[in-house]
Amino acid sequence: MGTSGTAASTLSLIGGTVGSGGAQGANAFPWNQYFVTSFDLAKVAALDATAAFIQQAISVTIDIAGKPTPVNVSPLTEAKLDYALSTGLTGKGQTVGMIDNAVNLGHEQFAGKTITTDGYATAGDPAPAGGDFHGTGVASIMVADGIVGASGQSTVGFAPGANLFAGYLDYNQPTNFGQLASYMNDAAHLKVVAMNNSWGLANDTVASGDLPSALNSGPGASYLSALRIYAQGGIVVFAAQNDYAATSISSLAGLPSFYPDLQPSWLAVINAIPTLDSGGNITSAQRVSTGCDEAATYCLAADGQMFVAGNTGSSSYDAGTGASFAAPQVTGALALLAEAFPSMTAQQLRDRLLATANDSFYTATGTVTFAPGITHGYNAEFGMGFLDLKAALLPIGTTSVPTAAGGQIAQGSAAIVSGFASGSAIAQALGKARIVALDQMGGNFTTPGNTIAGTAKAPDLSGLRLAYLGAALDPVRMQAFSAAVSTGNVMAIVDHPDAFTAPDAATLLGLGEERVYDRNGLKLTVLRENGGLAGASAERTFDLGDGTALKLGLASFAHAGSILGISVPGTGSALRSNTDAVTVGYATRVSRDVTLRASGEFGTATGNGAGMVASFSPVSYNSLGVSLDTANAVQSGDVFSLFARLPVAVTGGQANMTLPTAFAAGQTSFSTVGVGLRPTARQIDMGFEYDQPLTDHASMAYGAAYSVNAGNITGATSAAAMIGVRFVF
């Protein structure tokens, strides 16, 4: 790539003093200062174990408001870069750019990198073969690999996996706007996500300069045009000047003040040092450079006191301070965000950094609205606040999950809710799926599918047990049951209810029963829902002789709003199910005063889809139970029962859900995912019941039950106990 041959402007460029330990330059806009006194690695050794992070904890004396001031800084952890890199982000696949003096391309931190240079080694304007300190330092802040060299020293860039585009700028030559335009055009061609500019124009501020006169015609106009073209797909980052006393930001950092159309693609960066509490929160900050001033609504602060790659050898390092070294932190951060959110535009990434900047330490004088309900405060000194990569990578505002129908549900809201019969099966199955969630600023995230799975509260069986208990405590019935066990009247035993009877599927769904026929061992029951007809059941008991009875039943019913208690919130009664079941009861006399009871329900439910559930495959379920009853166990007429039961649980079937599984180019892709409904562990109830007659008109019952995998949820437990007395007058 070549440089433009257009004539140079009379405006002069300023860079920084090159080399370690040098005095601040006399220029009114010194872009860098070097007053390194010592390195204090111990202060951050506990924070990060890598050499690159440890060596960024430096003690440095810098000029603040004309006074040499010793400070201790750790810019990488202050910007939360450790959080970003810990996720695996490196800026891979992205290209960041810079216009600066020469980069030491032979430095170990750039080995193996794809670096495209522009304007290097051109006739009459050669770049130093070993690079310059300023350009090398800026490049390392953006893309240094973080390797530990032979000297044990290291530094890591904010986007260590990114490619680099470098346009050469000779600070000793007049401004060549045509050359700058060429660099910006090449950056647009290379799809550079962000272009760093750690330079400025001497004595030219928004308040006092005349930059627009240079940009409105000739080579300056070509530069402005190139900026506008690049800004369609990338972000321009400019460092503010290192003039603490200035009351207006440099004209280039604040260029949108003259050309507002550039603002959505523009960032100004100042140099400041935060004070952190023990939790890493910023409690105050010391500004080092000029303030954000006119650029406050598109300005960030970063700690520009950095340990960077040097230009005196392939493994040289040095320290510097200035807004020049704050700006490339923001430029590299944009590459990380571009990798993290590949479907977002560069302008959305820029807004993300602004909206999540740490503004907790200053009083805002105004706000910027980024999305409905998403506002951020700013002030003239610190702009939008400190760069915070941790916050930028997290969801902003509320997060929603898109639906195939074009709507969305709030993340954390349930798109499907498991019932008692399926326990935690849905949450466990969806936990293996990855779905797309979107925040309020266009950020897309991959999250476990179980964030949209709910588990219904386990049904309160106490009411049901009270109903059973009322029948169980009936003195007449209790005496009849005791007599039935003693005599082996299995026809009576097979129908006996007790206080811990497990409800069937229809009862769990809240269907009411209306017995319409009960004679000669045949029972016909109408099932109702909200007073309407829901279905019917029929039972017939058979005496098989030899003290054995068998009860067979059939049930068929419809239910609105769920399938075996599995529901889709927000869809009302759109989900309808039909259930068919077979029930079996069995009783046999084991010995005198001892009887064995067993019961079971086996059914299949079908249902249509609703919401994010496209359909259900047939869902099978069952329940099983066994009881051992002993009459006259302690006194005449009592019954002691031991029982073990498996309440209703799904045994097969799945919900076919249409889930957002990919996001690209602003569009969500959906896939059908089968979600198993069978719980991984079933509830097992174990317990006892003791029925004791007190008088001919009074009886008492005691009982206790213990549940393993309560609610069909692995590892959950519960216990219940009861005591009841009934008098009949």
Side-chain angles (χ1 to χ4, degrees), residues 237-452:
V237 180
F238 261 95
Q241 70 271 31
N242 285 322
D243 183 356
Y244 180 88
T247 58
S248 177
I249 200 166
S250 65
S251 54
L252 281 169
L255 196 61
S257 294
F258 307 115
Y259 306 101
D261 60 299
L262 291 173
Q263 182 167 329
S265 301
W266 210 268
L267 285 173
V269 184
I270 67 168
N271 180 20
I273 302 170
T275 299
L276 308 180
D277 62 19
S278 59
N281 303 306
I282 299 177
T283 58
S284 63
Q286 172 63 62
R287 177 170 54 86
V288 181
S289 67
T290 185
C292 291
D293 299 321
E294 298 92 341
T297 59
Y298 52 92
C299 182
L300 290 170
D303 189 338
Q305 290 48 251
M306 295 284 293
F307 186 63
V308 297
N311 70 318
T312 58
S314 62
S315 59
S316 60
Y317 294 85
D318 212 331
T321 180
S324 283
F325 297 140
Q329 297 178 40
V330 174
T331 305
L334 286 165
L336 286 185
L337 293 189
E339 181 189 5
F341 305 107
S343 294
M344 294 180 69
T345 66
Q347 290 70 33
Q348 288 175 312
L349 300 176
R350 170 256 194 197
D351 286 354
R352 195 168 194 89
L353 283 184
L354 292 172
T356 58
N358 191 320
D359 62 349
S360 62
F361 61 97
Y362 61 77
T363 300
T365 57
T367 59
V368 175
T369 298
F370 292 96
I374 305 297
T375 61
H376 196 83
Y378 68 89
N379 71 12
E381 185 173 15
F382 294 103
M384 301 293 281
F386 263 89
L387 173 65
D388 188 336
L389 270 168
K390 178 184 176 183
L393 289 170
L394 292 174
I396 300 173
T398 59
T399 308
S400 62
V401 176
T403 67
Q408 57 187 19
I409 64 171
Q411 188 178 9
S413 299
I416 183 171
V417 175
S418 178
F420 174 84
S422 52
S424 57
I426 292 175
Q428 290 177 340
L430 280 175
K432 301 175 183 178
R434 308 296 292 182
I435 62 173
V436 170
L438 307 175
D439 70 11
Q440 286 184 260
M441 290 190 63
N444 57 286
F445 301 82
T446 300
T447 183
N450 56 12
T451 59
I452 58 169

Side-chain angles (χ1 to χ4, degrees), residues 39 73 323 346 383 429 501 532 570 590 622 707:
F39 292 94
V73 297
T501 295
V590 176
N622 67 32
S707 299

Side-chain angles (χ1 to χ4, degrees), residues 395-678:
I396 300 173
T398 59
T399 308
S400 62
V401 176
T403 67
Q408 57 187 19
I409 64 171
Q411 188 178 9
S413 299
I416 183 171
V417 175
S418 178
F420 174 84
S422 52
S424 57
I426 292 175
Q428 290 177 340
L430 280 175
K432 301 175 183 178
R434 308 296 292 182
I435 62 173
V436 170
L438 307 175
D439 70 11
Q440 286 184 260
M441 290 190 63
N444 57 286
F445 301 82
T446 300
T447 183
N450 56 12
T451 59
I452 58 169
T455 300
K457 182 180 179 181
D460 182 4
L461 301 182
S462 59
L464 295 172
R465 285 171 176 161
L466 284 174
Y468 291 129
L469 186 61
L473 283 173
D474 184 335
V476 176
R477 185 163 189 146
M478 182 179 291
Q479 292 168 12
F481 181 53
S482 177
V485 176
S486 297
T487 61
N489 182 1
V490 289
M491 292 289 285
I493 294 171
V494 78
D495 280 332
H496 177 74
D498 56 44
F500 291 97
T501 295
D504 59 17
T507 305
L508 278 175
L509 293 177
L511 302 187
E513 293 186 355
E514 181 182 334
R515 188 68 54 81
V516 296
Y517 184 85
D518 188 352
R519 192 176 302 167
N520 300 323
L522 177 62
K523 299 176 183 178
L524 300 178
T525 302
V526 172
L527 302 175
R528 295 190 178 278
E529 182 176 29
N530 298 323
L533 181 64
S537 67
E539 291 180 353
R540 181 67 183 266
T541 304
F542 302 91
D543 188 346
L544 303 182
D546 296 326
T548 302
L550 178 67
K551 180 175 66 174
L552 297 176
L554 296 174
S556 181
F557 55 87
H559 180 61
S562 76
I563 175 170
L564 290 178
I566 301 164
S567 62
V568 179
T571 61
S573 59
L575 173 58
R576 302 190 64 85
S577 63
N578 293 282
T579 303
D580 299 307
V582 174
T583 58
V584 179
Y586 177 81
T588 186
R589 188 174 190 182
V590 176
S591 64
R592 187 174 182 271
D593 293 337
V594 179
T595 303
L596 177 67
R597 286 183 289 158
S599 62
E601 179 180 3
F602 307 87
T604 301
T606 58
N608 63 311
M612 295 180 74
V613 180
S615 64
F616 287 92
S617 67
V619 181
S620 59
Y621 73 94
N622 67 32
S623 66
L624 301 166
V626 61
S627 299
L628 191 67
D629 307 309
T630 301
N632 308 311
V634 177
Q635 68 180 64
S636 178
D638 67 3
V639 178
F640 181 78
S641 300
L642 288 173
F643 62 83
R645 299 191 180 107
L646 299 175
V648 171
V650 171
T651 57
Q654 66 180 31
N656 300 306
M657 299 189 68
T658 305
L659 301 178
T661 53
F663 188 85
Q667 299 294 320
T668 306
S669 299
F670 295 84
S671 303
T672 299
V673 177
V675 178
L677 305 177
R678 178 180 179 177

Side-chain angles (χ1 to χ4, degrees), residues 65-144:
K67 179 182 178 181
T69 305
V71 294
N72 300 312
V73 297
S74 185
L76 301 189
T77 53
E78 292 163 5
K80 303 296 194 299
L81 179 63
D82 46 358
Y83 283 90
L85 297 185
S86 72
T87 67
L89 293 171
T90 65
K92 182 179 180 180
Q94 307 301 318
T95 300
V96 290
M98 57 185 283
I99 297 176
D100 213 306
N101 60 11
V103 177
N104 177 8
L105 300 177
H107 199 281
E108 61 190 4
Q109 292 296 338
F110 307 132
K113 283 192 172 294
T114 299
I115 300 178
T116 303
T117 60
D118 204 346
Y120 278 53
T122 55
D125 191 21
D132 293 303
F133 176 78
H134 189 267
T136 303
V138 166
S140 70
I141 293 170
M142 292 194 290
V143 300

